[in-house]
Amino acid sequence: MIDYEFSDVGQASFRGPTQIARVQTEAWVVRELFCPACGQTALRQLPNNAPVADFDCESCAEQFELKSAKTPFGRKVVDGAYGTMMARLEAETAPNLMLLRYEAGGVRDVDVVPRQFFRPSIIERRRPLGPNARRAGWVGCNILLDRIPAIGRVGIVRDRTARSVETVMQDWERTSALRRKPLSTRGWLLDVLMLVDGLGQDDFSLVDLYGFEDDLAVLYPGNSNIRPKIRQQLQVLRDTEFIAFLGRGRYRRLYPLGLE
């Protein structure tokens, strides 16, 4: 059973609430959280100088980057160096993203975004730091959470209620087929999946998605065959059992838009 309370980490030795929260949440992850990929009951904290990632699983080697907040996560979350993130995306070594929301004394929610849902279009380049900054010219990035499909946020804890290890692992495994898709083609697939989410209904039609043709043309200005590309992505989503084909241009979404 998960203990949601933070342990005493000697707060007097840290400066400010932000640093205290960082140390407390990191200690909690190591003490309480299991690996959503394999169910291993302990994650290992990586050295502070590890690029991008904060934890890994000694059993399956999955890596995780932790982002913590006291308020609900919005449409984007601030991340580290833009160049480092983009290089790891291209090398297919980006870590999974762990989103932890805490409140006074303990953890409230934990979601994990598997790394297969990352692609360059969800990484926003920030402005370089000004000439008077300590790291003048440094360029950071934001992760655009509102461009991640609903199925890409695997819930581990919601409202201080932990989901079972088996359920979390099933949700994780359900999206594993996407990891085998090359980064060069994954963007189209995830963008169409986002459009399916945006319809907000279980059953939808090909015509419904054709209504987003202009939006996709903006995202992919070099592609003059938007409709055939939509049909192609729907076939892939059907083969990976994210949607079902009902016939006559009708489809059904097979996953919930929130936790069941």
Side-chain angles (χ1 to χ4, degrees), residues 33-76:
L33 210 57
F34 60 87
C35 175
C38 71
Q40 173 71 23
T41 55
L43 295 176
R44 176 178 59 181
Q45 189 164 9
L46 296 171
N48 289 334
N49 59 354
V52 182
D54 298 307
F55 306 92
D56 73 354
C57 174
E58 294 186 73
S59 178
C60 69
E62 289 285 351
Q63 292 190 343
F64 302 87
E65 180 185 11
L66 175 66
K67 293 296 178 183
S68 302
K70 193 171 185 178
T71 57
F73 287 95
R75 62 173 297 267
K76 65 176 68 174

Side-chain angles (χ1 to χ4, degrees), residues 164-179:
S164 71
V165 175
E166 293 75 18
T167 301
V168 171
M169 289 177 63
Q170 287 172 4
D171 286 353
W172 182 279
E173 178 61 27
R174 190 172 193 179
T175 68
S176 61
L178 293 178
R179 187 170 292 195

Side-chain angles (χ1 to χ4, degrees), residues 51 74 130 148 156 212-213 221 233:
I148 296 172
I156 299 179
F212 296 103
E213 186 174 3
Q233 302 313 304

Side-chain angles (χ1 to χ4, degrees), residues 37-191:
C38 71
Q40 173 71 23
T41 55
L43 295 176
R44 176 178 59 181
Q45 189 164 9
L46 296 171
N48 289 334
N49 59 354
V52 182
D54 298 307
F55 306 92
D56 73 354
C57 174
E58 294 186 73
S59 178
C60 69
E62 289 285 351
Q63 292 190 343
F64 302 87
E65 180 185 11
L66 175 66
K67 293 296 178 183
S68 302
K70 193 171 185 178
T71 57
F73 287 95
R75 62 173 297 267
K76 65 176 68 174
V77 61
V78 176
D79 204 61
Y82 176 79
T84 302
M85 174 60 80
M86 296 304 289
R88 294 203 68 173
L89 280 181
E90 291 294 335
E92 300 281 14
T93 58
N96 308 289
L97 178 63
M98 185 180 296
L99 301 170
L100 185 154
R101 183 186 171 196
Y102 61 91
E103 53 193 6
V107 170
R108 179 182 176 87
D109 305 301
V110 180
D111 288 346
V112 176
V113 179
R115 63 182 173 87
Q116 55 264 34
F117 289 92
F118 279 63
R119 72 268 196 205
S121 63
I122 75 164
I123 307 300
E124 180 180 64
R125 186 180 188 271
R126 301 207 310 267
R127 291 182 180 179
L129 295 182
N132 297 324
R134 183 170 59 88
R135 293 188 293 172
W138 182 85
V139 179
C141 68
N142 298 318
I143 300 173
L144 303 179
L145 299 179
D146 61 347
R147 295 188 186 177
I148 296 172
I151 200 172
R153 291 183 68 149
V154 177
I156 299 179
V157 176
R158 289 289 171 87
D159 295 326
R160 289 203 167 203
T161 301
R163 304 173 75 218
S164 71
V165 175
E166 293 75 18
T167 301
V168 171
M169 289 177 63
Q170 287 172 4
D171 286 353
W172 182 279
E173 178 61 27
R174 190 172 193 179
T175 68
S176 61
L178 293 178
R179 187 170 292 195
R180 296 188 288 272
K181 304 294 181 183
L183 184 63
S184 59
T185 61
R186 205 182 305 149
W188 258 104
L189 189 63
L190 294 176
D191 285 330

